[in-house]
Amino acid sequence: MENLQRPTATTENTRTSRLVDRLLADRHSVPLSIALHLVPGALIVAAYAFIGVPFTRAIGYPPFLAWAIALTVVLYPVLFGLLWLGRRRTGRYSLRGVLHYLDKPFSRGRIAVIGIGLLIYMTVVSFALVPLDNLVYDAAFTWIQYDGAGGSATTYLDGYSQQSLIITLLICLPFTGFTLPLIEELYFRGFLLPRLPQLGSWAPLFNTVLFSVYHLWAPWTVLSKIVFLLPGVWFVWRKHDLRATIWMHPGSTLVGTVGGIIALSMGVI
């Protein structure tokens, strides 16, 4: 019996090693990269439908919380997967050896100035492009009828009491407000983007487009996301400093969430 089991275990170990080698290779094929960009988005939609929605409907809270739950259910395992790859490569749970663009070529002060500039750009442009999101939604995506669908930046929160909205945003603050966007940057910019050398200067656009499409729950925002994300992604690719989009993306969501909580508390919105 033991002799029959050993080849099976060996085969599984070999397959796992091959998978690890493919994921940690310096170059991902374009089909593999597309899959690695988009599969998490499909899993988030599934987690929303089967976990987030039933829970939030049962407690009467906004669909924004359902999406936060879905993102958490998917993205934390993605982070663990990166750490697991680090353990396979280095023998310990680490992002070193897995992620690129961690060498910090800029001083803290300089990257802070650059990052804050990108944060302001993303925040201002994303709000300025909300009318574009509305236009695209009305033109092509009104058939999407799940709770909270729509071009407005606050659609996921509309129709609920001030108290439930504040509680929702406070619950979501450490997650959608910072750690989940941080995981996205580690995965999409630190792990996937550097493994597209065959695309040359097209790699940042490829990564930005697929990251925008990855938001399958809001396809009407793809165009605006490309506009306000591309400068930061290009900078990370060109200068090899992941901190730029960490300032930009998690920084922007943190500012937006804190601002929303303050505005709701003051009765501004």
Side-chain angles (χ1 to χ4, degrees), residues 39-49 67 70-71 74-75 184 214 217:
V39 167
L43 294 175
I44 288 167
V45 171
Y48 169 80
W67 286 114
L71 285 158
V74 174
L75 291 180
E184 288 178 332
Y214 141 85
W217 54 95

Side-chain angles (χ1 to χ4, degrees), residues 168-233:
T168 296
L169 291 180
L170 285 172
I171 292 171
C172 293
L173 177 61
F175 300 100
T176 55
F178 188 77
T179 56
L180 295 173
L182 174 61
I183 294 171
E184 288 178 332
E185 288 308 309
L186 297 176
Y187 178 68
F188 287 95
R189 250 62 74 183
F191 179 65
L192 295 181
L193 176 60
R195 290 178 165 85
L196 293 167
Q198 70 273 34
L199 297 184
S201 59
W202 290 101
L205 180 61
F206 180 89
N207 177 264
T208 304
V209 170
L210 287 181
F211 178 68
S212 301
V213 175
Y214 141 85
H215 293 78
L216 297 171
W217 54 95
W220 52 89
T221 66
V222 167
L223 291 177
S224 62
K225 280 184 170 64
I226 292 171
V227 173
F228 64 70
L229 288 169
L230 185 57
V233 177

Side-chain angles (χ1 to χ4, degrees), residues 124-257:
V124 171
V125 174
S126 63
F127 278 107
L129 291 179
V130 167
L132 173 63
D133 295 339
N134 285 320
L135 181 64
V136 175
Y137 177 80
D138 291 338
F141 293 104
T142 53
W143 54 273
I144 297 180
Q145 294 296 319
Y146 60 74
D147 293 344
S152 172
T154 61
T155 304
Y156 295 122
L157 298 169
D158 290 347
Y160 292 84
S161 68
Q162 180 190 43
Q163 180 180 3
S164 65
L165 293 178
I166 292 174
I167 292 173
T168 296
L169 291 180
L170 285 172
I171 292 171
C172 293
L173 177 61
F175 300 100
T176 55
F178 188 77
T179 56
L180 295 173
L182 174 61
I183 294 171
E184 288 178 332
E185 288 308 309
L186 297 176
Y187 178 68
F188 287 95
R189 250 62 74 183
F191 179 65
L192 295 181
L193 176 60
R195 290 178 165 85
L196 293 167
Q198 70 273 34
L199 297 184
S201 59
W202 290 101
L205 180 61
F206 180 89
N207 177 264
T208 304
V209 170
L210 287 181
F211 178 68
S212 301
V213 175
Y214 141 85
H215 293 78
L216 297 171
W217 54 95
W220 52 89
T221 66
V222 167
L223 291 177
S224 62
K225 280 184 170 64
I226 292 171
V227 173
F228 64 70
L229 288 169
L230 185 57
V233 177
W234 180 88
F235 182 90
V236 168
W237 170 82
R238 185 71 176 84
K239 301 299 184 180
H240 294 188
D241 197 327
L242 185 60
R243 294 174 297 172
T245 49
I246 290 176
W247 270 99
M248 181 183 78
H249 184 189
S252 177
T253 56
L254 181 61
V255 168
T257 305

